[in-house]
Amino acid sequence: MLDLNKVAFLLSFLASVGLGQGSVRIRNPSDRSRRVALNKFIDTQTMGVTEWTSWFNIDHPGGNGDYERLEAIRFYYRERVCARPTAMEARTTDWVAAADTGEVVHSSLEKGFWCINKEQLHGNICSNYHVRFQCPPGSCHGSGPVHSYWTDWSEWGPCSTTVCDDVGIQVRQRKCVNTQPTPLLLVQACQGHHSERRECSNPPCTAKWSPWGLWGACSVTCGGGRRTRRRTCVRTSETVQCNGRPVEIQKCGKKPCKAKCQRVCTEGRPTEDCSRCVCEGHVLNGVVHSVTGVPVAGALVALASQPKAIRARTDAKGKFKLPGVCSSTSTLISIRKEKFAPITVSSSSNTTGLSSVQAVLMSAEKPYIVKHPEDKVRYEGGRVLMCCKATGSPKPDKYYWYHNGTLLDRKTYKYEEDLVLRDLKQEHSGHYYCKTSSSAGSIKSSPALLTVLTTGTPACNSTPEMHLVKLPMDCVQPGTRSKYYNAGRCPHNKCAGSLDFDMRCRDGGGFCCGVQNMESQVIDCGRYSLPIRAVTQCSCQKCVEPTVLVRGRVVTADNDEPLRFGHIYIGKERVGTTGYQGSFTLQITPDTKRLVVNFVDPTQKCIDTPKVFIFDKKGGSIYHDVKVMRKQTPIDINAGETNSINLGEIEGEDPIGQLVIPPNSFHKENGDIYEGTVKASVTFIDPRNITTAAAAPGDLNFVDDEGDMLPLRTYGMFSVDFRDETNKEVLGAGAVQVLLDTQHVKMQEHIPKMKLWSLNPDTGVWEEESDFSYTATNTGGRSKREERTFLIGNMEIRERRLFNLDVPENRRCYVKVRAYMSEKFLPTEQLEGVVISLINLEPKPGYSANPRAWGRFDSVITGPNGACLPAFCDAQRPDAYTAYVTAMMGGEELDAAPSSPKMNPNIIGVSQPYLDKLDYQRSDHEDPAMKKTAFRVNLAKPSQNNLDETNGPIYPYQSLIGCENAPVDANHFRFFRVEKDKYEYNVVPFEENDLTTWTGDYLSWWPNPQEFRACFIKVKIHGQREVMVRSRNFGGSHRETKGKLYGIRDIRSTRDMREANTSAACVEFKCSGMLFDQAEVDRSLISVLPQGNCRRTGTNSLLQEYLIKHPPVPQNNESHAFTMLAPVDPLGHNYGIYTVTDQNPRVAKEIAIGRCFDGTSDGFSREMKSDSGVALTFSCPERKITRESLFQRLQTNPGQTLSQMARDMRESAGMQVQGQATQVVAYPSEQRGRTQSRRASSTTRRRVPSRTQQRQ
C-alpha cells in the first residue's frame, strides 16, 4: 500500500511540474511578500512528500485587482486547505502561468496571491487568476485536516549573566497552535519540546579612553602660558583601568608681549606696530613711467615693508601721492602692475623737506631656462646632481622637478633649483625635467635622461655594431660581389666612467662608448687589395668634444645686399660682428639647448632681427642664410593728431590692417610728452609675400601657462621705429591701437583666437600683448567705401619693437624627410647635418587672397634616420594647408625628387594613392626653367582608418616617436645632392658629419678632431670627355705610417663652360703635418692618376721648384700619373695647391673647393675656371675606333653582315663536330670579353681566322 501511495504521489508531482512548465522558484521563508517572477512558491522548511489541493478562484480582476486571499479561501472552503501550505501555484483561467503573463503579482504562503491593477504597465488590468496549494500528505482531500502545529522558534533570549568574561544560559521557545478546541481534537497534540537552551558568554572586560576633547583657552595671551584638554575612561567592569593620563597640558601664548616702542623718530611719530615713522600732513609725490617715457597708469603703490597693503594707484599721468611719509629718512616704495616687472625704489628729499620718487617700470618677461639638466649615467648606489636655472623679469622663484612626467614631492627630495638623488636604484632611471614659474608665467626645461646601471653591468657593450663602408667603384669582392665592407663602430652613447667628482651640473667631458681596439684587415677587391682598420672592441672612454659651429651670411631680403659689420648678440652680450660680405661664424658652447642670435644693423637701415638657429651637437657646421628686412622709409607725422599707418603694401591688395596712434601719445625717455614732428617707420612683414618668410624674426613659438612651447600661425609681423624730428631720440607711444581686417583671415575659426604678441629679443619667444575685439567701420576700398569688420587690439610701444598678429594652432603634424648622397636614394647613403626648412602656406588654394601666403616656418637637421618637421595640417580638407620644403647643406641647396614628366612613387618615396592626395610638385613641375631645389605638398592629416595613410610621410602630432623611428622603407620625401661623381675612402673610417666618430690612430685621415686641414690640388684635363681623377695617399716619412695607405679620393672633372674640350678637377689629398700623437711630421706620399687614356703634359713650375727644394723628390717616370711628397707649407693658388684649416672638416673642404674652382686663394666659385691656379695638366684624348662593332656593321651593311654571320656559324659547327672543340660565338672581341665572365665554361675560345680577320 505504501508503494502505491508513493507511485500515486510521484505521478501527481510530475503532472504538476508539467502544468507549471517546469519552473520552480526556491524562496527564503523569511521573504513572504516579494514580487513573483516564477509560477510556484515553495516553503523549504516544510518541503517533503506533499500533495496538491484543488484550484480556487474566489475573486475577479474588477475594481482594484484580483485577490485570492488564503483567509477568504478557508472561509469558503473550510477544511479543504491545510493549516500550513508548503507551496502555491497560480495560473490564469486561460491556463497561463503567472510568471509568463508579464504582469506584476504578489504572493505569500500566509496571505495568498493578489494582483493590483494600478501596478500594471500601459494601463492594463490584471488577468483572472486561480490558485492551488501544496500540503503535507494526509492533511487534505479526505485524510483529515491538521488541527495543531508548532509555530516558528522565537529569537534567542538574553544571556542570563551580564558580567563581562562570564558564562550563562540563553532560551528560545515555540507554541503549539490548535485550530479547534482541545476537546474536539481527533489527533494527538503537537509532539516535541516547547523550549530550547544553550550556553552563552560575555566578552572580556575592557577599558579604553574616549577621544581627546578640544583644547581649552590659553591661560595668557602673550608671554607664555598653558592650556589643557581632557578625556574619559570607558570600561565594562570596575576591575579594569585605562593606561595613561586623563589630562594633557600644552604650552601656548608664546608670542612675546608687546614691549614699549623704542623707535626714535626725528620727525613725526612711530606707528602702532613701531615699524616706521609717520609724519602727519606730509605727502610723498611720485611718478611712474615706462622705459620709453610713457606714463604707467593704474600701477599699485605700497610700502616695501608692507607690500600687500595698497596705499595708492597711479593716475593717467603716472603720478601718485602717499600721505604720512616723512622726508627726513629714505622710504622704500614697492610698485607693481600687470605685464610689468615689479620694482622697489627709495624716496628722496630736498632741502625744502619735500619727498619724491621717480620709478621706471620695465616690461615683464616670462621665465626662460638658461641652464638645462644634462644626460647622465650612474651605477646603482651612486648619486647624481641635476641642475636647472632660469632668468626672467621678475626672477623665477619657484622650481618643480618631474620624473617621467610625474611631479616629485618637494618634502621627500628637498629640492630647489637643483635636484640631488642619492642611493640610486633602477627605478630612478628615466627622463627628468624642471619647471619654473614667476608671476609672469612658467617654462619647462628640456628633458635629461638618467641611466642607472646595475652593479657589475659593463659601462658599454664591448661588441661593435655593424657599420658598412662603401668601397671604391672598381673594388668588387669576389664571391659576395658586395660593394660594402663591415668595419664596425662603437655607439657614441654616454656611459658610467670614473669621474673625479660626481656632483657637478655637467660631468665635464663625460664618458662615452669609444674604440678600445682596432685591427688591420685586408679587403680583397679582385685585381687589388685595400687595407682597413676595423673596430673589434669598444669600451667606456672620455667623450670626444667636437667644436660646434654655426655659420652663415646675412643679407637684405629685397636685393641680397650684405649686412656689413652688423652687431651680433646672444642674449644681452655682443659676441661678434658680420664681415664685409655679411658672413659670420659662431662657436656654440656644449651645454647650449636653444640658440637665439640677434642681428643689429648699426646704420639703422635694417630692422633688428632675432633668429633661432638650429645646430648640430655632433660637431657638424650648420650654414644659415639669414635675411633681414630693410626699414621702411620714415614718414613725417604730427604728434598732436590722430595718425593711421597701413600694415601691408601688396600692389593690388588692401592692407591687412592699420596702426592707429591717438594724439599726444608720444613720449620722451624722461616721461615728457613729445610735441612736434615724428619720424615714423613701420616695417610690415607681409605673409602674402612668400619671399619675406626667411626674414621673419624668432621662430613663431610661444610658451603657454603650463610652460610648454607651442607654435603660432602668423597673419603678419611689424617693426616700429619712432624718433624725434632730428632722428636721434627714440620715442615711446602709449595706447596704440592695432586694426586687423578680418577679410584676410580666411579660416574663420582663427578670428576668436587672434592675439597681439611682442617678441622678446633675448629668448626669441613671442609673448602675449593683448586680445582682439570686434568693431565695424566704413573704410575706403579700392573701388568704393564699404563697411569692414576689424579686430582691434591695444598695446604700448615700450622697449620691444617687434609685434605679431598670431593665433595658436592645434592642428599639427610631422613631415618625414630624408636627404641622400645621390639620386640613387640608397639607404646606406643618407646625409646627416642637412638643414630641412618647411614653410606653411595658406589659405586653401583658390581663395580670393594670394594663395601663396605663408603662416609659419620651421627648420630641422637630418640625423641618421632623416628628419621630422613640424607643420600645420588638416583632416577635413587635404589642401587647406600646403607646405614649401627646401634642403641646404653647407650653403649648398639640394635637389628634390622630380615630379615631372611623370609622377613616380618609387622616386618620390611616397606610395599611391596617398601621393595623389598630397599632390606632390617639385618647383620646376610646370616651368622647367625653375630651380629644382624645393617641392610643394598638401598637408593632409593622415586618417588612422586608412591603412595607406598610416605609413607616413605625414604623421599625427602625437606620433613624433613613430616618425623619428620610421624604417627607411616607410613613406618619406626625398632630397639628393647634385654633384659630380665623388668618392672618399679612409683606412680608418670616419664620418665627417659626426665628429664624435673620430678615432685616434696613426692612419686617421684627420689627425686632430679639434682642427681640420683640407688640401686640394687642381688638375686640368684636355679632352672631349670629363674623366675621373684619383689620389692615392700613403705615409711618406713617419716611421709608423711609411708606405701605408691613408685613403683614396675619386672625383670627376668639371667642364669649363668658357673653354671647349677642357675640364678640371679639384682633388683632395692627405695634408702633410703632425699625426694624432703630435710627435713627428709625416710628409704624405701622393699619387694623382687620371683614369683613362691620359698623359701628363704640364706641371706647375712653382710647385716643381718647391718640391725640388724640399727633398726627397719621388720619381715621376710614369707619364699617366704624378707623384709627390705633399708640401708641409700651406701653398696657394700660384702653386695649384689649396689649403684651408677650420674647426669643421666639411667647411674646410667646401672653402678649399670654392677657392680651387675660382683659381684664387681668397675667392669662391661654383663655376670651374680651368685657366687659373692649375698644378697639373693632362691630355686625355678619346681612343680612336679602328674597327666596327657588330651593331655598327648591321647598320651600315646589314645584308652582308648577316650572310657572313651565317657562314661563320656553319664553319663553327663543323669544327665542333670534327675536333669536339668549344662552341664559338661570333661576337666582336670587346663583347666576347664581357660575355666570357657570364659563361660557366673556362675553356679557351677559338675563332676562325680566315675571312673574319680580313674584314677587320
Side-chain angles (χ1 to χ4, degrees):
M1 183 65 183
L2 179 61
D3 293 336
L4 292 176
N5 289 335
K6 290 183 178 180
V7 172
F9 172 74
L10 180 60
L11 291 175
S12 65
F13 178 78
L14 293 176
S16 67
V17 171
L19 292 172
Q21 298 180 358
S23 57
V24 179
R25 175 73 175 262
I26 305 299
R27 287 178 52 83
N28 191 317
S30 63
D31 185 7
R32 299 295 185 182
S33 61
R34 62 183 298 177
R35 295 189 177 183
V36 181
L38 295 174
N39 193 38
K40 295 184 181 178
F41 309 91
I42 302 171
D43 190 338
T44 60
Q45 198 171 21
T46 59
M47 194 177 77
V49 179
T50 59
E51 58 185 26
W52 288 93
T53 67
S54 59
W55 291 92
F56 304 104
N57 186 1
I58 62 172
D59 193 18
H60 297 280
N64 294 329
D66 188 2
Y67 293 86
E68 305 296 335
R69 295 286 190 179
L70 184 58
E71 181 182 1
I73 294 174
R74 283 201 177 102
F75 177 79
Y76 288 111
Y77 296 99
R78 301 286 178 182
E79 299 172 355
R80 293 181 62 182
V81 181
C82 56
R84 299 191 66 188
T86 59
M88 176 174 54
E89 182 179 6
R91 288 179 177 273
T92 68
T93 54
D94 296 329
W95 209 249
V96 178
D100 297 336
T101 62
E103 297 175 359
V104 180
V105 295
H106 307 267
S107 71
S108 171
L109 290 175
E110 287 79 15
K111 296 180 180 180
F113 175 90
W114 66 96
C115 175
I116 303 174
N117 288 336
K118 64 180 181 181
E119 291 183 350
Q120 309 310 314
L121 300 176
H122 310 299
N124 296 331
I125 64 173
C126 297
S127 302
N128 189 9
Y129 289 92
H130 57 183
V131 297
R132 67 173 181 171
F133 300 91
Q134 194 176 41
C135 296
S139 62
C140 56
H141 296 293
S143 299
V146 176
H147 298 289
S148 60
Y149 59 90
W150 289 111
T151 62
D152 293 334
W153 286 105
S154 67
E155 298 293 334
W156 288 102
C159 196
S160 61
T161 179
T162 58
V163 180
C164 57
D165 201 15
D166 195 7
V167 178
I169 299 296
Q170 279 182 299
V171 179
R172 68 174 181 175
Q173 297 178 339
R174 61 178 177 175
K175 294 180 179 181
C176 182
V177 179
N178 295 320
T179 59
Q180 291 186 2
T182 304
L184 299 178
L185 288 176
L186 300 179
V187 295
Q188 190 177 358
C190 301
Q191 300 295 321
H193 299 285
H194 73 280
S195 64
E196 282 186 351
R197 297 185 178 191
R198 70 177 182 183
E199 186 181 277
C200 60
S201 62
N202 287 334
C205 301
T206 59
K208 62 180 181 179
W209 291 109
S210 66
W212 284 104
L214 298 177
W215 286 104
C218 190
S219 60
V220 296
T221 58
C222 65
R226 295 184 177 184
R227 62 177 183 172
T228 60
R229 64 176 181 175
R230 301 178 182 275
R231 60 181 177 175
T232 58
C233 182
V234 180
R235 53 186 179 172
T236 58
S237 174
E238 296 293 335
T239 61
V240 291
Q241 299 291 335
C242 296
N243 295 324
R245 296 180 180 180
V247 181
E248 190 176 47
I249 301 174
Q250 186 184 62
K251 293 181 179 181
C252 60
K254 297 180 180 179
K255 182 177 70 173
C257 294
K258 187 176 181 180
K260 185 177 179 181
C261 182
Q262 302 295 324
R263 180 178 293 275
V264 177
C265 297
T266 58
E267 183 183 5
R269 61 173 177 79
T271 59
E272 292 183 1
D273 59 359
C274 201
S275 62
R276 61 188 180 91
C277 295
V278 176
C279 295
E280 303 292 345
H282 191 276
V283 177
L284 169 68
N285 294 301
V287 62
V288 182
H289 57 80
S290 67
V291 174
T292 54
V294 178
V296 178
L300 306 179
V301 182
L303 298 176
S305 59
Q306 299 173 330
K308 294 184 178 180
I310 306 303
R311 299 185 178 272
R313 294 176 184 266
T314 57
D315 58 16
K317 296 182 179 180
K319 297 181 179 181
F320 67 91
K321 295 179 182 294
L322 276 185
V325 178
C326 299
S327 60
S328 58
T329 57
S330 178
T331 304
L332 293 178
I333 307 298
S334 174
I335 304 173
R336 67 181 187 270
K337 186 186 178 183
E338 186 181 4
K339 296 186 179 179
F340 287 89
I343 188 174
T344 301
V345 294
S346 177
S347 64
S348 59
S349 302
N350 55 23
T351 56
T352 62
L354 297 178
S355 299
S356 64
V357 66
Q358 186 172 0
V360 178
L361 290 184
M362 299 184 65
S363 297
E365 295 181 355
K366 286 195 173 185
Y368 183 70
I369 302 291
V370 294
K371 182 186 290 184
H372 296 259
E374 300 279 342
D375 293 347
K376 295 185 179 181
V377 182
R378 294 289 190 271
Y379 277 108
E380 278 186 330
R383 59 182 184 173
V384 70
L385 173 66
M386 294 286 186
C387 298
C388 181
K389 186 177 181 181
T391 185
S393 182
K395 187 176 180 180
D397 54 356
K398 296 179 182 178
Y399 285 83
Y400 308 90
W401 280 94
Y402 293 79
H403 176 216
N404 292 334
T406 301
L407 178 65
L408 297 178
D409 182 48
R410 187 184 301 273
K411 294 181 180 179
T412 303
Y413 292 91
K414 298 179 175 58
Y415 59 77
E416 289 296 335
E417 294 183 5
D418 301 335
L419 173 67
V420 178
L421 301 176
R422 306 179 190 276
D423 191 19
L424 292 173
K425 297 180 176 57
Q426 281 286 306
E427 53 265 28
H428 287 120
S429 295
H431 289 90
Y432 290 82
Y433 69 86
C434 79
K435 175 183 175 182
T436 181
S437 61
S438 69
S439 58
S442 302
I443 186 69
K444 292 178 181 177
S445 72
S446 59
L449 176 63
L450 173 63
T451 304
V452 180
L453 303 176
T454 57
T455 305
T457 303
C460 71
N461 189 355
S462 61
T463 303
E465 61 184 21
M466 178 179 290
H467 176 54
L468 297 178
V469 176
K470 187 179 180 181
L471 303 179
M473 295 297 295
D474 56 349
C475 177
V476 180
Q477 301 176 79
T480 63
R481 312 295 295 176
S482 174
K483 302 289 293 182
Y484 294 89
Y485 188 84
N486 181 20
R489 67 178 172 190
C490 299
H492 191 75
N493 54 289
K494 287 186 176 292
C495 56
S498 301
L499 298 171
D500 57 348
F501 186 62
D502 58 357
M503 294 296 284
R504 292 190 179 95
C505 292
R506 190 169 186 270
D507 290 341
F511 286 83
C512 303
C513 281
V515 176
Q516 175 69 26
N517 290 318
M518 300 181 75
E519 70 175 16
S520 297
Q521 298 178 2
V522 178
I523 304 174
D524 184 4
C525 292
R527 295 186 296 106
Y528 66 97
S529 60
L530 274 178
I532 192 170
R533 297 279 288 166
V535 179
T536 58
Q537 186 178 3
C538 304
S539 66
C540 191
Q541 302 179 2
K542 277 283 187 180
C543 296
V544 176
E545 287 289 338
T547 302
V548 181
L549 299 176
V550 171
R551 303 173 186 267
R553 185 167 178 256
V554 187
V555 297
T556 57
D558 53 357
N559 60 0
D560 287 344
E561 178 185 349
L563 178 64
R564 295 188 172 99
F565 313 118
H567 298 171
I568 304 175
Y569 290 86
I570 296 181
K572 292 179 171 58
E573 180 184 359
R574 182 176 168 184
V575 296
T577 304
T578 60
Y580 185 77
Q581 296 296 331
S583 59
F584 66 90
T585 300
L586 300 175
Q587 183 170 336
I588 311 304
T589 57
D591 58 347
T592 302
K593 301 291 184 181
R594 177 178 167 90
L595 179 60
V596 182
V597 182
N598 192 8
F599 296 95
V600 178
D601 182 9
T603 66
Q604 293 298 314
K605 294 180 180 179
C606 299
I607 67 173
D608 297 351
T609 307
K611 287 288 186 180
V612 181
F613 286 146
I614 56 175
F615 55 93
D616 190 353
K617 292 185 178 181
K618 294 182 179 180
S621 178
I622 302 301
Y623 185 89
H624 294 275
D625 194 4
V626 181
K627 304 284 187 179
V628 295
M629 290 291 292
R630 199 184 298 275
K631 281 186 178 180
Q632 283 285 358
T633 304
I635 59 174
D636 293 339
I637 60 176
N638 190 341
E641 300 176 354
T642 300
N643 296 280
S644 297
I645 302 175
N646 288 336
L647 301 176
E649 297 293 341
I650 299 294
E651 185 177 353
E653 294 284 344
D654 289 331
I656 285 182
Q658 282 185 338
L659 208 62
V660 180
I661 308 171
N664 302 318
S665 295
F666 294 101
H667 293 78
K668 298 180 181 180
E669 289 186 5
N670 60 7
D672 295 339
I673 295 178
Y674 177 81
E675 298 176 351
T677 303
V678 177
K679 299 284 186 182
S681 173
V682 178
T683 306
F684 187 70
I685 301 176
D686 199 324
R688 295 173 295 181
N689 181 1
I690 194 173
T691 61
T692 63
D699 60 354
L700 283 176
N701 286 324
F702 78 102
V703 178
D704 67 358
D705 295 337
E706 294 299 319
D708 294 310
M709 194 167 290
L710 300 175
L712 292 170
R713 186 268 193 230
T714 185
Y715 281 90
M717 308 177 189
F718 59 94
S719 170
V720 297
D721 186 22
F722 299 133
R723 296 175 182 265
D724 63 3
E725 194 169 4
T726 63
N727 204 30
K728 293 182 179 179
E729 184 177 358
V730 177
L731 303 176
V736 177
Q737 286 187 335
V738 179
L739 275 66
L740 174 63
D741 192 344
T742 57
Q743 70 162 331
H744 298 291
V745 184
K746 300 302 178 181
M747 295 186 176
Q748 296 301 310
E749 62 269 25
H750 284 175
I751 293 179
K753 299 187 294 183
M754 190 72 65
K755 295 179 183 292
L756 182 64
W757 310 76
S758 64
L759 180 66
N760 186 330
D762 297 334
T763 66
V765 176
W766 294 92
E767 298 181 11
E768 183 179 341
E769 281 284 329
S770 72
D771 292 322
F772 280 90
S773 58
Y774 279 98
T775 186
T777 183
N778 288 324
T779 181
R782 292 190 301 271
S783 58
K784 61 180 180 179
R785 293 185 62 84
E786 54 186 0
E787 186 176 271
R788 296 275 182 82
T789 301
F790 285 88
L791 294 176
I792 296 182
N794 299 304
M795 69 176 189
E796 294 181 1
I797 298 176
R798 301 188 289 269
E799 57 267 49
R800 295 185 184 176
R801 298 302 173 108
L802 281 167
F803 301 92
N804 198 351
L805 310 171
D806 275 17
V807 292
E809 178 61 275
N810 55 9
R811 290 175 291 186
R812 294 172 284 167
C813 289
Y814 283 98
V815 181
K816 185 72 173 185
V817 181
R818 300 179 189 269
Y820 294 88
M821 295 182 184
S822 68
E823 55 189 341
K824 297 177 183 177
F825 303 117
L826 298 178
T828 56
E829 295 184 352
Q830 291 192 65
L831 292 174
E832 297 184 43
V834 178
V835 179
I836 310 293
S837 299
L838 183 147
I839 303 175
N840 262 106
L841 304 177
E842 58 264 277
K844 175 181 176 181
Y847 284 149
S848 58
N850 189 341
R852 297 183 65 188
W854 59 274
R856 180 174 175 81
F857 58 89
D858 287 280
S859 296
V860 177
I861 297 177
T862 58
N865 200 34
C868 294
L869 288 96
F872 296 146
C873 60
D874 193 88
Q876 304 299 324
R877 299 173 298 176
D879 54 354
Y881 282 107
T882 59
Y884 186 81
V885 187
T886 61
M888 181 173 289
M889 183 176 183
E892 172 191 353
E893 292 180 313
L894 274 62
D895 276 14
S899 60
S900 61
K902 184 179 179 180
M903 198 83 70
N904 189 335
N906 294 326
I907 294 178
I908 296 172
V910 182
S911 60
Q912 294 285 18
Y914 199 21
L915 181 60
D916 287 337
K917 185 176 181 180
L918 299 179
D919 192 23
Y920 176 92
Q921 291 187 10
R922 195 167 70 173
S923 47
D924 66 338
H925 184 79
E926 296 179 352
D927 185 2
M930 296 288 290
K931 295 174 70 174
K932 306 174 182 179
T933 54
F935 67 83
R936 185 196 62 77
V937 65
N938 291 339
L939 294 175
K941 187 175 182 179
S943 172
Q944 298 305 307
N945 298 324
N946 189 339
L947 185 61
D948 296 327
E949 300 180 9
T950 58
N951 195 33
I954 312 294
Y955 292 84
Y957 193 76
Q958 299 80 8
S959 302
L960 174 60
I961 301 300
C963 178
E964 291 178 340
N965 298 332
V968 71
D969 58 349
N971 289 337
H972 61 274
F973 296 113
R974 294 171 171 174
F975 285 93
F976 62 95
R977 193 172 187 181
V978 180
E979 60 180 8
K980 298 299 178 183
D981 292 345
K982 178 182 177 181
Y983 174 75
E984 298 178 357
Y985 175 78
N986 296 322
V987 171
V988 180
F990 174 67
E991 300 173 41
E992 292 178 355
N993 52 14
D994 184 0
L995 303 189
T996 61
T997 61
W998 180 86
T999 305
D1001 192 273
Y1002 283 106
L1003 293 178
S1004 294
W1005 185 275
W1006 307 100
N1008 187 348
Q1010 303 294 336
E1011 184 178 79
F1012 298 88
R1013 188 181 182 197
C1015 297
F1016 285 79
I1017 184 170
K1018 191 169 185 176
V1019 181
K1020 185 176 182 179
I1021 305 293
H1022 289 296
Q1024 296 179 356
R1025 297 182 180 274
E1026 300 169 346
V1027 300
M1028 293 292 294
V1029 183
R1030 168 173 291 183
S1031 72
R1032 300 175 62 197
N1033 305 267
F1034 295 87
S1037 59
H1038 197 284
R1039 62 182 181 276
E1040 295 289 342
T1041 62
K1042 188 173 183 179
K1044 297 181 180 179
L1045 183 69
Y1046 283 112
I1048 295 174
R1049 297 293 186 267
D1050 290 341
I1051 186 71
R1052 186 176 295 277
S1053 61
T1054 302
R1055 178 70 58 191
D1056 187 343
M1057 305 307 295
R1058 304 169 305 165
E1059 190 173 346
N1061 298 330
T1062 303
S1063 62
C1066 294
V1067 187
E1068 184 184 8
F1069 64 89
K1070 175 71 171 68
C1071 302
S1072 295
M1074 292 285 188
L1075 299 186
F1076 86 101
D1077 59 0
Q1078 299 294 306
E1080 184 180 344
V1081 171
D1082 181 30
R1083 289 194 66 186
S1084 308
L1085 180 63
I1086 312 300
S1087 295
V1088 180
L1089 302 95
Q1091 298 180 9
N1093 181 33
C1094 298
R1095 179 173 56 86
R1096 178 161 47 88
T1097 58
T1099 304
N1100 186 294
S1101 59
L1102 292 178
L1103 176 61
Q1104 188 72 37
E1105 182 181 353
Y1106 176 90
L1107 296 176
I1108 293 174
K1109 290 182 179 180
H1110 296 78
V1113 180
Q1115 295 294 325
N1116 276 298
N1117 296 328
E1118 298 179 350
S1119 62
H1120 67 279
F1122 176 78
T1123 304
M1124 69 173 180
L1125 286 173
V1128 178
D1129 301 313
L1131 304 181
H1133 69 284
N1134 292 329
Y1135 297 80
I1137 303 294
Y1138 302 86
T1139 305
V1140 174
T1141 302
D1142 194 87
Q1143 294 168 309
N1144 184 271
R1146 206 161 56 192
V1147 173
K1149 292 165 70 169
E1150 290 292 337
I1151 297 174
I1153 291 173
R1155 293 177 180 178
C1156 179
F1157 269 60
D1158 194 54
T1160 61
S1161 295
D1162 55 359
F1164 190 90
S1165 176
R1166 280 298 181 189
E1167 294 183 2
M1168 179 59 72
K1169 301 175 182 178
S1170 62
D1171 56 349
S1172 57
V1174 176
L1176 305 172
T1177 305
F1178 286 85
S1179 176
C1180 302
E1182 289 193 66
R1183 293 180 181 271
K1184 294 184 179 180
I1185 300 176
T1186 58
R1187 56 187 178 183
E1188 290 183 322
S1189 67
L1190 171 64
F1191 301 102
Q1192 289 173 329
R1193 284 185 277 125
L1194 283 171
Q1195 290 178 346
T1196 56
N1197 197 345
Q1200 183 179 354
T1201 303
L1202 291 173
S1203 300
Q1204 183 61 46
M1205 288 176 61
R1207 288 194 296 269
D1208 290 345
M1209 292 174 67
R1210 286 194 297 270
E1211 293 176 0
S1212 175
M1215 292 176 63
Q1216 279 187 324
V1217 172
Q1218 294 176 6
Q1220 297 297 320
T1222 306
Q1223 181 181 1
V1224 177
V1225 180
Y1227 281 114
S1229 60
E1230 298 91 334
Q1231 294 188 358
R1232 188 183 72 242
R1234 289 194 297 267
T1235 307
Q1236 287 174 358
S1237 64
R1238 304 189 188 102
R1239 297 171 62 95
S1241 174
S1242 60
T1243 55
T1244 304
R1245 269 67 173 172
R1246 296 183 183 179
R1247 192 178 185 89
V1248 179
S1250 57
R1251 287 184 293 270
T1252 304
Q1253 292 182 356
Q1254 294 176 4
R1255 286 195 306 272
Q1256 295 178 350

